């Protein structure tokens, strides 16, 4: 429907032998992107010459469907808790002639094995690709996660979703006994024990409790806080170890 749009011109050549009827033929290759998405008629017109009158073919209906894209997501695959990485998103079409408009925004979501999905951020496509730097600290807990992004589609390209997996592992730590106020103690008295815990995987300061034991019994405990920071990814505390009843 609508007004006619020229798709191109061709030169005619004689049909293959034996050619006894004055037949000529021509081939015109038209990319589907030149037609637009939808259903319409294609008509061939012969312009004619002084000796031959112009003519037109019967219309042939052609349906052009939206292209089906592939959303590809790549990431680090594995990260220690507190680490950072980059997720790359690309949207491509097999034909290669079209791609999402520059400035298209896609939301990147992480879905843990158990629990609700978490939005990591957005990517803005340029040339069909975009990148999202992200960190796991306080966002992605240790465990398996599916990283996905959905392309909403447009008039020429259908919606599509891509995904990849990310394993967040517990950060590796090390604890050192820096000092102790004595090596002998009278029953019912206490010793000061100074300890340092550092994160060997990245610069995120360790969290949680430090427990001091003697002969399998807990004699002291403290919880790490921001006030215990003693360096990048390190916290130092003094625990009162009680050897009483």
């Amino acid at each position: 429907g609508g007004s006619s749009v020229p798709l191109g011109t061709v030169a005619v050549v004689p049909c293959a032998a034996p050619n006894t009827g004055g037949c000529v033929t021509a081939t015109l290759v038209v990319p589907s992107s030149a037609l637009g998405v939808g259903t319409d008629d294609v008509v061939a017109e012969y312009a004619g010459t002084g000796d031959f009158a112009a003519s037109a073919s019967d219309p042939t209906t052609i349906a052009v469907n939206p292209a089906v894209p592939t959303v590809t997501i790549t990431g680090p695959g594995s990260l220690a808790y507190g680490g950072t990485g980059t997720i790359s998103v690309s949207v491509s079409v097999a034909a290669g002639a079209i791609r999402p408009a520059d400035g298209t925004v896609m939301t990147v979501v992480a879905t843990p094995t158990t629990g609700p999905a978490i939005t990591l951020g957005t990517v803005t496509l340029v040339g069909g690709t975009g990148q999202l730097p992200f960190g796991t600290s306080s966002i992605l807990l240790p465990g398996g996660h599916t990283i996905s992004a959905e392309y909403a589609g447009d008039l020429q390209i259908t919606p599509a979703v891509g995904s990849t997996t990310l394993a967040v592992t517990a950060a590796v730590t090390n604890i050192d006994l820096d000092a102790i106020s004595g090596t002998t103690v009278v029953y019912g008295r206490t010793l000061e024990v100074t300890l340092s815990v550092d994160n060997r995987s990245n610069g995120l300061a360790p969290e949680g409790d430090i427990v001091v034991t003697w002969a399998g019994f807990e004699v002291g405990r403290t919880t790490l806080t921001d006030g215990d920071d003693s360096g990048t990814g390190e916290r130092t505390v003094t625990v009162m170890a009680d050897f009483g009843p």
Side-chain angles (χ1 to χ4, degrees), residues 191-219:
L191 291 177
E192 291 186 358
V193 183
T194 301
L195 308 114
S196 296
V197 184
D198 66 285
N199 179 350
R200 295 293 178 90
S201 296
N202 48 67
L204 183 66
E207 299 174 343
D209 289 352
I210 289 181
V211 179
V212 178
T213 61
W214 178 80
F217 296 95
E218 180 179 325
V219 294

PDB file of all heavy atoms in Angstrom, residues 191-219:
ATOM      1  N   LEU A 191      44.204 -12.098  79.181  1.00  0.00           N
ATOM      2  CA  LEU A 191      45.348 -11.707  78.359  1.00  0.00           C
ATOM      3  C   LEU A 191      44.843 -10.856  77.200  1.00  0.00           C
ATOM      4  O   LEU A 191      43.746 -11.075  76.675  1.00  0.00           O
ATOM      5  CB  LEU A 191      46.072 -12.935  77.801  1.00  0.00           C
ATOM      6  CG  LEU A 191      46.833 -13.832  78.782  1.00  0.00           C
ATOM      7  CD1 LEU A 191      47.404 -15.030  78.039  1.00  0.00           C
ATOM      8  CD2 LEU A 191      47.943 -13.054  79.483  1.00  0.00           C
ATOM      9  N   GLU A 192      45.666  -9.861  76.799  1.00  0.00           N
ATOM     10  CA  GLU A 192      45.339  -9.070  75.607  1.00  0.00           C
ATOM     11  C   GLU A 192      45.960  -9.738  74.389  1.00  0.00           C
ATOM     12  O   GLU A 192      47.168  -9.989  74.357  1.00  0.00           O
ATOM     13  CB  GLU A 192      45.868  -7.643  75.749  1.00  0.00           C
ATOM     14  CG  GLU A 192      45.161  -6.812  76.796  1.00  0.00           C
ATOM     15  CD  GLU A 192      45.634  -5.367  76.786  1.00  0.00           C
ATOM     16  OE1 GLU A 192      46.540  -5.054  75.968  1.00  0.00           O
ATOM     17  OE2 GLU A 192      45.111  -4.567  77.578  1.00  0.00           O
ATOM     18  N   VAL A 193      45.124 -10.012  73.405  1.00  0.00           N
ATOM     19  CA  VAL A 193      45.592 -10.655  72.173  1.00  0.00           C
ATOM     20  C   VAL A 193      45.311  -9.701  71.012  1.00  0.00           C
ATOM     21  O   VAL A 193      44.163  -9.329  70.773  1.00  0.00           O
ATOM     22  CB  VAL A 193      44.882 -12.006  71.937  1.00  0.00           C
ATOM     23  CG1 VAL A 193      45.437 -12.676  70.682  1.00  0.00           C
ATOM     24  CG2 VAL A 193      45.035 -12.909  73.155  1.00  0.00           C
ATOM     25  N   THR A 194      46.355  -9.286  70.305  1.00  0.00           N
ATOM     26  CA  THR A 194      46.211  -8.372  69.161  1.00  0.00           C
ATOM     27  C   THR A 194      46.341  -9.170  67.869  1.00  0.00           C
ATOM     28  O   THR A 194      47.321  -9.919  67.689  1.00  0.00           O
ATOM     29  CB  THR A 194      47.268  -7.262  69.204  1.00  0.00           C
ATOM     30  OG1 THR A 194      47.127  -6.534  70.436  1.00  0.00           O
ATOM     31  CG2 THR A 194      47.087  -6.299  68.032  1.00  0.00           C
ATOM     32  N   LEU A 195      45.360  -9.004  66.995  1.00  0.00           N
ATOM     33  CA  LEU A 195      45.317  -9.790  65.756  1.00  0.00           C
ATOM     34  C   LEU A 195      45.028  -8.883  64.571  1.00  0.00           C
ATOM     35  O   LEU A 195      44.342  -7.864  64.694  1.00  0.00           O
ATOM     36  CB  LEU A 195      44.244 -10.878  65.841  1.00  0.00           C
ATOM     37  CG  LEU A 195      44.295 -11.780  67.073  1.00  0.00           C
ATOM     38  CD1 LEU A 195      43.074 -11.551  67.921  1.00  0.00           C
ATOM     39  CD2 LEU A 195      44.417 -13.234  66.669  1.00  0.00           C
ATOM     40  N   SER A 196      45.527  -9.287  63.411  1.00  0.00           N
ATOM     41  CA  SER A 196      45.256  -8.578  62.153  1.00  0.00           C
ATOM     42  C   SER A 196      44.671  -9.553  61.144  1.00  0.00           C
ATOM     43  O   SER A 196      45.160 -10.678  60.998  1.00  0.00           O
ATOM     44  CB  SER A 196      46.534  -7.962  61.580  1.00  0.00           C
ATOM     45  OG  SER A 196      47.053  -6.971  62.444  1.00  0.00           O
ATOM     46  N   VAL A 197      43.615  -9.111  60.478  1.00  0.00           N
ATOM     47  CA  VAL A 197      42.985  -9.914  59.421  1.00  0.00           C
ATOM     48  C   VAL A 197      43.053  -9.106  58.133  1.00  0.00           C
ATOM     49  O   VAL A 197      42.666  -7.927  58.114  1.00  0.00           O
ATOM     50  CB  VAL A 197      41.507 -10.232  59.745  1.00  0.00           C
ATOM     51  CG1 VAL A 197      40.919 -11.138  58.676  1.00  0.00           C
ATOM     52  CG2 VAL A 197      41.396 -10.879  61.112  1.00  0.00           C
ATOM     53  N   ASP A 198      43.549  -9.721  57.067  1.00  0.00           N
ATOM     54  CA  ASP A 198      43.601  -8.997  55.785  1.00  0.00           C
ATOM     55  C   ASP A 198      42.966  -9.824  54.677  1.00  0.00           C
ATOM     56  O   ASP A 198      42.944 -11.053  54.710  1.00  0.00           O
ATOM     57  CB  ASP A 198      45.042  -8.626  55.422  1.00  0.00           C
ATOM     58  CG  ASP A 198      45.913  -9.833  55.145  1.00  0.00           C
ATOM     59  OD1 ASP A 198      46.305 -10.517  56.112  1.00  0.00           O
ATOM     60  OD2 ASP A 198      46.188 -10.098  53.970  1.00  0.00           O
ATOM     61  N   ASN A 199      42.416  -9.090  53.722  1.00  0.00           N
ATOM     62  CA  ASN A 199      41.760  -9.671  52.561  1.00  0.00           C
ATOM     63  C   ASN A 199      42.821  -9.881  51.487  1.00  0.00           C
ATOM     64  O   ASN A 199      43.390  -8.921  50.964  1.00  0.00           O
ATOM     65  CB  ASN A 199      40.655  -8.710  52.074  1.00  0.00           C
ATOM     66  CG  ASN A 199      39.926  -9.223  50.848  1.00  0.00           C
ATOM     67  OD1 ASN A 199      40.328 -10.202  50.224  1.00  0.00           O
ATOM     68  ND2 ASN A 199      38.853  -8.543  50.488  1.00  0.00           N
ATOM     69  N   ARG A 200      43.095 -11.120  51.134  1.00  0.00           N
ATOM     70  CA  ARG A 200      44.127 -11.426  50.145  1.00  0.00           C
ATOM     71  C   ARG A 200      43.605 -11.371  48.709  1.00  0.00           C
ATOM     72  O   ARG A 200      44.396 -11.491  47.767  1.00  0.00           O
ATOM     73  CB  ARG A 200      44.710 -12.820  50.432  1.00  0.00           C
ATOM     74  CG  ARG A 200      45.472 -12.916  51.765  1.00  0.00           C
ATOM     75  CD  ARG A 200      46.731 -12.075  51.729  1.00  0.00           C
ATOM     76  NE  ARG A 200      47.465 -12.095  52.982  1.00  0.00           N
ATOM     77  CZ  ARG A 200      48.414 -12.983  53.287  1.00  0.00           C
ATOM     78  NH1 ARG A 200      48.705 -13.955  52.447  1.00  0.00           N
ATOM     79  NH2 ARG A 200      49.049 -12.891  54.443  1.00  0.00           N
ATOM     80  N   SER A 201      42.286 -11.203  48.538  1.00  0.00           N
ATOM     81  CA  SER A 201      41.716 -11.203  47.193  1.00  0.00           C
ATOM     82  C   SER A 201      41.614  -9.804  46.593  1.00  0.00           C
ATOM     83  O   SER A 201      41.790  -9.610  45.388  1.00  0.00           O
ATOM     84  CB  SER A 201      40.324 -11.843  47.204  1.00  0.00           C
ATOM     85  OG  SER A 201      40.392 -13.203  47.572  1.00  0.00           O
ATOM     86  N   ASN A 202      41.290  -8.806  47.421  1.00  0.00           N
ATOM     87  CA  ASN A 202      41.114  -7.442  46.932  1.00  0.00           C
ATOM     88  C   ASN A 202      41.179  -6.495  48.132  1.00  0.00           C
ATOM     89  O   ASN A 202      41.551  -6.902  49.228  1.00  0.00           O
ATOM     90  CB  ASN A 202      39.790  -7.293  46.164  1.00  0.00           C
ATOM     91  CG  ASN A 202      38.616  -7.893  46.917  1.00  0.00           C
ATOM     92  OD1 ASN A 202      38.229  -7.400  47.969  1.00  0.00           O
ATOM     93  ND2 ASN A 202      38.058  -8.994  46.383  1.00  0.00           N
ATOM     94  N   GLY A 203      40.816  -5.253  47.913  1.00  0.00           N
ATOM     95  CA  GLY A 203      40.983  -4.253  48.955  1.00  0.00           C
ATOM     96  C   GLY A 203      39.808  -4.072  49.884  1.00  0.00           C
ATOM     97  O   GLY A 203      39.801  -3.128  50.692  1.00  0.00           O
ATOM     98  N   LEU A 204      38.803  -4.922  49.823  1.00  0.00           N
ATOM     99  CA  LEU A 204      37.645  -4.795  50.693  1.00  0.00           C
ATOM    100  C   LEU A 204      38.005  -5.262  52.106  1.00  0.00           C
ATOM    101  O   LEU A 204      38.524  -6.355  52.301  1.00  0.00           O
ATOM    102  CB  LEU A 204      36.476  -5.615  50.162  1.00  0.00           C
ATOM    103  CG  LEU A 204      35.169  -5.513  50.951  1.00  0.00           C
ATOM    104  CD1 LEU A 204      34.588  -4.109  50.858  1.00  0.00           C
ATOM    105  CD2 LEU A 204      34.159  -6.541  50.442  1.00  0.00           C
ATOM    106  N   ALA A 205      37.716  -4.422  53.102  1.00  0.00           N
ATOM    107  CA  ALA A 205      38.049  -4.772  54.481  1.00  0.00           C
ATOM    108  C   ALA A 205      37.191  -5.930  54.969  1.00  0.00           C
ATOM    109  O   ALA A 205      35.978  -5.958  54.728  1.00  0.00           O
ATOM    110  CB  ALA A 205      37.859  -3.560  55.381  1.00  0.00           C
ATOM    111  N   PRO A 206      37.782  -6.898  55.673  1.00  0.00           N
ATOM    112  CA  PRO A 206      37.016  -8.048  56.177  1.00  0.00           C
ATOM    113  C   PRO A 206      35.939  -7.612  57.181  1.00  0.00           C
ATOM    114  O   PRO A 206      36.082  -6.592  57.868  1.00  0.00           O
ATOM    115  CB  PRO A 206      38.078  -8.917  56.858  1.00  0.00           C
ATOM    116  CG  PRO A 206      39.370  -8.502  56.247  1.00  0.00           C
ATOM    117  CD  PRO A 206      39.218  -7.032  55.957  1.00  0.00           C
ATOM    118  N   GLU A 207      34.896  -8.405  57.249  1.00  0.00           N
ATOM    119  CA  GLU A 207      33.807  -8.169  58.198  1.00  0.00           C
ATOM    120  C   GLU A 207      33.565  -9.429  59.020  1.00  0.00           C
ATOM    121  O   GLU A 207      34.064 -10.507  58.682  1.00  0.00           O
ATOM    122  CB  GLU A 207      32.521  -7.779  57.448  1.00  0.00           C
ATOM    123  CG  GLU A 207      32.638  -6.513  56.627  1.00  0.00           C
ATOM    124  CD  GLU A 207      31.393  -6.255  55.805  1.00  0.00           C
ATOM    125  OE1 GLU A 207      30.595  -7.204  55.632  1.00  0.00           O
ATOM    126  OE2 GLU A 207      31.222  -5.121  55.335  1.00  0.00           O
ATOM    127  N   GLY A 208      32.778  -9.283  60.105  1.00  0.00           N
ATOM    128  CA  GLY A 208      32.413 -10.443  60.909  1.00  0.00           C
ATOM    129  C   GLY A 208      33.155 -10.500  62.233  1.00  0.00           C
ATOM    130  O   GLY A 208      33.711  -9.491  62.693  1.00  0.00           O
ATOM    131  N   ASP A 209      33.167 -11.674  62.854  1.00  0.00           N
ATOM    132  CA  ASP A 209      33.738 -11.853  64.194  1.00  0.00           C
ATOM    133  C   ASP A 209      35.107 -12.516  64.143  1.00  0.00           C
ATOM    134  O   ASP A 209      35.382 -13.342  63.259  1.00  0.00           O
ATOM    135  CB  ASP A 209      32.810 -12.718  65.053  1.00  0.00           C
ATOM    136  CG  ASP A 209      31.531 -11.987  65.429  1.00  0.00           C
ATOM    137  OD1 ASP A 209      31.444 -10.770  65.153  1.00  0.00           O
ATOM    138  OD2 ASP A 209      30.631 -12.637  65.997  1.00  0.00           O
ATOM    139  N   ILE A 210      35.929 -12.160  65.122  1.00  0.00           N
ATOM    140  CA  ILE A 210      37.166 -12.888  65.400  1.00  0.00           C
ATOM    141  C   ILE A 210      36.958 -13.621  66.731  1.00  0.00           C
ATOM    142  O   ILE A 210      36.515 -13.020  67.720  1.00  0.00           O
ATOM    143  CB  ILE A 210      38.373 -11.944  65.496  1.00  0.00           C
ATOM    144  CG1 ILE A 210      38.732 -11.405  64.114  1.00  0.00           C
ATOM    145  CG2 ILE A 210      39.567 -12.667  66.110  1.00  0.00           C
ATOM    146  CD1 ILE A 210      39.932 -10.492  64.113  1.00  0.00           C
ATOM    147  N   VAL A 211      37.272 -14.901  66.749  1.00  0.00           N
ATOM    148  CA  VAL A 211      37.093 -15.730  67.941  1.00  0.00           C
ATOM    149  C   VAL A 211      38.452 -16.281  68.361  1.00  0.00           C
ATOM    150  O   VAL A 211      39.189 -16.835  67.534  1.00  0.00           O
ATOM    151  CB  VAL A 211      36.103 -16.888  67.678  1.00  0.00           C
ATOM    152  CG1 VAL A 211      35.952 -17.744  68.924  1.00  0.00           C
ATOM    153  CG2 VAL A 211      34.753 -16.340  67.233  1.00  0.00           C
ATOM    154  N   VAL A 212      38.779 -16.106  69.643  1.00  0.00           N
ATOM    155  CA  VAL A 212      40.017 -16.652  70.201  1.00  0.00           C
ATOM    156  C   VAL A 212      39.650 -17.884  71.041  1.00  0.00           C
ATOM    157  O   VAL A 212      38.745 -17.822  71.887  1.00  0.00           O
ATOM    158  CB  VAL A 212      40.742 -15.612  71.072  1.00  0.00           C
ATOM    159  CG1 VAL A 212      42.005 -16.220  71.698  1.00  0.00           C
ATOM    160  CG2 VAL A 212      41.094 -14.378  70.251  1.00  0.00           C
ATOM    161  N   THR A 213      40.342 -18.983  70.801  1.00  0.00           N
ATOM    162  CA  THR A 213      40.059 -20.217  71.538  1.00  0.00           C
ATOM    163  C   THR A 213      41.325 -20.710  72.232  1.00  0.00           C
ATOM    164  O   THR A 213      42.457 -20.435  71.800  1.00  0.00           O
ATOM    165  CB  THR A 213      39.528 -21.321  70.605  1.00  0.00           C
ATOM    166  OG1 THR A 213      40.527 -21.619  69.614  1.00  0.00           O
ATOM    167  CG2 THR A 213      38.243 -20.893  69.922  1.00  0.00           C
ATOM    168  N   TRP A 214      41.119 -21.441  73.311  1.00  0.00           N
ATOM    169  CA  TRP A 214      42.211 -22.113  74.031  1.00  0.00           C
ATOM    170  C   TRP A 214      41.709 -23.493  74.424  1.00  0.00           C
ATOM    171  O   TRP A 214      40.648 -23.634  75.027  1.00  0.00           O
ATOM    172  CB  TRP A 214      42.596 -21.306  75.282  1.00  0.00           C
ATOM    173  CG  TRP A 214      43.672 -21.947  76.103  1.00  0.00           C
ATOM    174  CD1 TRP A 214      45.009 -21.914  75.860  1.00  0.00           C
ATOM    175  CD2 TRP A 214      43.493 -22.717  77.293  1.00  0.00           C
ATOM    176  NE1 TRP A 214      45.688 -22.621  76.827  1.00  0.00           N
ATOM    177  CE2 TRP A 214      44.777 -23.130  77.726  1.00  0.00           C
ATOM    178  CE3 TRP A 214      42.364 -23.107  78.038  1.00  0.00           C
ATOM    179  CZ2 TRP A 214      44.973 -23.903  78.863  1.00  0.00           C
ATOM    180  CZ3 TRP A 214      42.573 -23.880  79.166  1.00  0.00           C
ATOM    181  CH2 TRP A 214      43.865 -24.274  79.570  1.00  0.00           C
ATOM    182  N   ALA A 215      42.455 -24.512  74.030  1.00  0.00           N
ATOM    183  CA  ALA A 215      42.088 -25.912  74.311  1.00  0.00           C
ATOM    184  C   ALA A 215      40.687 -26.230  73.796  1.00  0.00           C
ATOM    185  O   ALA A 215      39.954 -27.025  74.403  1.00  0.00           O
ATOM    186  CB  ALA A 215      42.203 -26.203  75.801  1.00  0.00           C
ATOM    187  N   GLY A 216      40.292 -25.581  72.695  1.00  0.00           N
ATOM    188  CA  GLY A 216      38.983 -25.842  72.106  1.00  0.00           C
ATOM    189  C   GLY A 216      37.856 -25.038  72.688  1.00  0.00           C
ATOM    190  O   GLY A 216      36.714 -25.147  72.232  1.00  0.00           O
ATOM    191  N   PHE A 217      38.146 -24.202  73.691  1.00  0.00           N
ATOM    192  CA  PHE A 217      37.105 -23.390  74.321  1.00  0.00           C
ATOM    193  C   PHE A 217      37.262 -21.922  73.902  1.00  0.00           C
ATOM    194  O   PHE A 217      38.385 -21.410  73.823  1.00  0.00           O
ATOM    195  CB  PHE A 217      37.183 -23.500  75.846  1.00  0.00           C
ATOM    196  CG  PHE A 217      36.917 -24.877  76.378  1.00  0.00           C
ATOM    197  CD1 PHE A 217      37.971 -25.746  76.648  1.00  0.00           C
ATOM    198  CD2 PHE A 217      35.611 -25.314  76.595  1.00  0.00           C
ATOM    199  CE1 PHE A 217      37.725 -27.007  77.134  1.00  0.00           C
ATOM    200  CE2 PHE A 217      35.370 -26.586  77.086  1.00  0.00           C
ATOM    201  CZ  PHE A 217      36.419 -27.440  77.357  1.00  0.00           C
ATOM    202  N   GLU A 218      36.145 -21.291  73.672  1.00  0.00           N
ATOM    203  CA  GLU A 218      36.184 -19.869  73.316  1.00  0.00           C
ATOM    204  C   GLU A 218      36.534 -19.051  74.553  1.00  0.00           C
ATOM    205  O   GLU A 218      35.875 -19.138  75.592  1.00  0.00           O
ATOM    206  CB  GLU A 218      34.828 -19.424  72.770  1.00  0.00           C
ATOM    207  CG  GLU A 218      34.785 -17.951  72.385  1.00  0.00           C
ATOM    208  CD  GLU A 218      33.451 -17.518  71.812  1.00  0.00           C
ATOM    209  OE1 GLU A 218      32.797 -18.343  71.102  1.00  0.00           O
ATOM    210  OE2 GLU A 218      33.032 -16.372  72.076  1.00  0.00           O
ATOM    211  N   VAL A 219      37.594 -18.213  74.428  1.00  0.00           N
ATOM    212  CA  VAL A 219      38.001 -17.366  75.547  1.00  0.00           C
ATOM    213  C   VAL A 219      37.890 -15.873  75.212  1.00  0.00           C
ATOM    214  O   VAL A 219      38.082 -15.022  76.086  1.00  0.00           O
ATOM    215  CB  VAL A 219      39.446 -17.691  75.994  1.00  0.00           C
ATOM    216  CG1 VAL A 219      39.513 -19.097  76.575  1.00  0.00           C
ATOM    217  CG2 VAL A 219      40.435 -17.526  74.838  1.00  0.00           C
TER     218      VAL A 219
END
